[in-house]
Amino acid sequence: MTDIEKNVDATRPLGKSNFILMAVSVACVIIGFLITGSGEPSTEAAYNPDIFSTVRIAVGPTIAFIGFVLMFFAILYKKR
């Protein structure tokens, strides 16, 4: 690496590890939303009690929330 490349890398606010963490957090958010919205919906013709399952009410939103919190830390993470 030349001195110019080192200076350019030093002036960038986000590094490679930040982008990897952000990609993981986006994946967590997407997985959480997919879990929350998966399954058959209830209609007027057929009631589906699965809409009140623990996975759709608690696990999916928790995974999405963890993804949002991880995004916050991914942006603020500074390599030592």
Side-chain angles (χ1 to χ4, degrees):
M1 257 177 145
T2 64
D3 290 335
I4 295 173
E5 290 173 347
K6 288 180 183 177
N7 288 339
V8 169
D9 288 340
T11 59
R12 290 185 180 163
L14 300 176
K16 183 178 179 181
S17 58
N18 294 95
F19 288 111
I20 292 171
L21 287 172
M22 285 192 281
V24 169
S25 65
V26 167
C28 284
V29 171
I30 290 172
I31 289 170
F33 282 136
L34 288 175
I35 290 173
T36 303
S38 65
E40 296 289 323
S42 287
T43 61
E44 292 180 14
Y47 172 71
N48 185 3
D50 190 44
I51 62 172
F52 298 111
S53 71
T54 304
V55 173
R56 290 178 80 175
I57 290 179
V59 176
T62 302
I63 292 173
F65 180 73
I66 289 170
F68 285 120
V69 171
L70 185 62
M71 179 65 78
F72 175 75
F73 287 113
I75 293 170
L76 293 180
Y77 178 74
K78 187 80 169 175
K79 191 173 182 179
R80 295 179 189 185

